Amino acid sequence: MQPTPAVEVLSADKIYPNGTQALLPVDLTIAEGEFVTLLGPSGCGKSTLLKMVAGMLEPSDGRLLVFRKPVAQIDESGRRMAFVFQSPTLMPWASVQTNVRLPLDLAGVPRKEADARVAEALELVGLDKFAKALPRALSGGMQMRVSIARGLVTQPDLLLMDEPFGALDEITRHKLDADLLDLWRKKKLTVIFVTHSIHEAVFLSSRVIMMAARPGRVVEQFEIDEPYPRTADFMVSPQFSRYAKKLQDSLLRASNAHDEVMQ
Ligand SMILES: Nc1ncnc2c1ncn2[C@@H]1O[C@H](COP(=O)(O)OP(=O)(O)OP(=O)(O)O)[C@@H](O)[C@H]1O
Ligand SMILES: [Mg+2]
């Protein structure tokens, strides 16, 4: 049986009002339960593609379906999605729990139910002891966890993450990567993840989509055919190095690809 598609990008392209062709038409299907990473040089349209999936940007042509519905009608599918940005964008004057509760407050969820869901989300990201803390009392990694909890509190089926750990030190990033994989498995999420890190892409993904810039487009795809759970042992294994080398070569080709288009 074919897995249900979580996201279908159907010849969707994007030209910004200033004339920049940010994306040539993209065709892409992401099945429920996949962990897909978008990788590629700066300006190749990763954020543009993610924002179109989120419904934050309209494609110039083509369409996108999320759980078989146009993005604006996702409610009809009974499914939800959440977006986690690179910077935690927390309200500095509000406690961790108030920050995490924000999407539920906006949705008018009754306070008692909201508080229970906030507690669950904070526990999932290991921050239950910090519910009353202010963001500035937390490290960068912990603030990112708050941001992820705020994404999870709506109990999404699809999680979109745009370079969520890019600003963090390597050890913290590894820890959050591992925790994210646990969450993905536990909650049976579908994840679309943007990163500049080849190692992060290999460690996390079931599939990597390589993009090239000027104009932005999808150029290659790689299945990372390695069972989960993935451990630190995987990261020092020969097969990890082989995948990393493949992606490295592809990224180099993608980074040079605009020269060919321009000629
Ligand atoms: N609001 C906008 N108006 C005009 N051009 C834009 C706008 N946003 C992005 N672009 C351009 O569209 C192209 C794709 O940008 P996008 O931000 O999607 O790339 P990206 O792959 O996310 O890059 P990065 O790795 O630096 O985050 C780039 O050429 C960028 O300059
Ligand atoms: Mg971006």
Side-chain angles (χ1 to χ4, degrees):
M1 205 177 77
Q2 284 284 333
T4 318
V7 176
E8 294 160 272
V9 184
L10 306 165
S11 301
D13 69 0
K14 183 68 192 176
I15 303 170
Y16 281 106
N18 69 357
T20 302
Q21 174 103 48
L23 272 182
L24 291 177
V26 172
D27 280 290
L28 188 62
T29 302
I30 295 173
E32 237 177 303
E34 274 198 272
F35 196 120
V36 170
T37 294
L38 308 179
L39 193 64
S42 201
C44 68
K46 303 180 293 294
S47 297
T48 299
L49 180 55
L50 208 62
K51 285 180 190 161
M52 292 200 304
V53 173
M56 296 159 67
L57 270 181
E58 289 275 326
S60 303
D61 207 351
R63 25 187 229 129
L64 293 100
L65 300 178
V66 180
F67 298 111
R68 300 238 189 232
K69 297 280 176 195
V71 188
Q73 292 156 32
I74 184 178
D75 283 356
E76 292 172 21
S77 71
R79 310 298 191 93
R80 278 183 285 266
M81 72 173 137
F83 201 118
V84 176
F85 299 92
Q86 177 172 18
S87 56
T89 59
L90 303 175
M91 303 178 287
W93 63 87
S95 69
V96 163
Q97 62 185 4
T98 305
N99 269 286
V100 172
R101 207 181 52 232
L102 177 69
L104 302 180
D105 288 345
L106 292 174
V109 175
R111 183 62 185 264
K112 209 165 154 212
E113 186 191 336
D115 282 345
R117 284 221 240 145
V118 168
E120 191 203 0
L122 285 177
E123 196 178 328
L124 275 174
V125 300
L127 281 183
D128 34 325
K129 303 234 170 11
F130 295 87
K132 300 253 190 299
L134 288 177
R136 67 165 175 273
L138 307 179
S139 67
M142 289 160 86
Q143 290 187 23
M144 207 59 232
R145 284 175 194 274
V146 177
S147 184
I148 293 170
R150 190 179 49 192
L152 293 173
V153 81
T154 58
Q155 300 174 329
D157 304 279
L158 172 63
L159 192 57
L160 310 175
M161 307 181 91
D162 196 351
E163 294 192 59
F165 310 143
L168 302 175
D169 68 83
E170 187 138 335
I171 306 266
T172 308
R173 180 192 274 218
H174 283 325
K175 175 83 176 92
L176 286 177
D177 281 346
D179 289 352
L180 175 61
L181 276 190
D182 283 346
L183 269 176
W184 167 68
R185 284 160 52 83
K186 205 185 293 176
K187 293 283 168 188
K188 299 189 167 38
L189 298 169
T190 305
V191 176
I192 310 181
F193 188 93
V194 172
T195 182
H196 277 113
S197 162
I198 285 171
H199 287 89
E200 197 173 35
V202 174
F203 182 67
L204 292 175
S205 321
S206 52
R207 179 157 54 122
V208 178
I209 295 180
M210 187 66 68
M211 298 172 68
R214 282 171 280 153
R217 61 205 186 279
V218 171
V219 285
E220 284 190 89
Q221 301 199 31
F222 300 87
E223 300 282 338
I224 309 295
D225 193 8
E226 171 74 18
Y228 297 91
R230 294 178 182 173
T231 61
D233 286 344
F234 173 48
M235 298 195 78
V236 291
S237 67
Q239 64 269 34
F240 188 94
S241 304
R242 278 197 292 275
Y243 281 123
K245 172 84 169 70
K246 264 193 191 173
L247 290 186
Q248 179 86 50
D249 292 346
S250 173
L251 184 58
L252 266 177
R253 283 195 294 276
S255 301
N256 296 325
H258 69 269
D259 298 333
E260 293 154 26
V261 174
M262 293 297 160
Q263 277 162 15

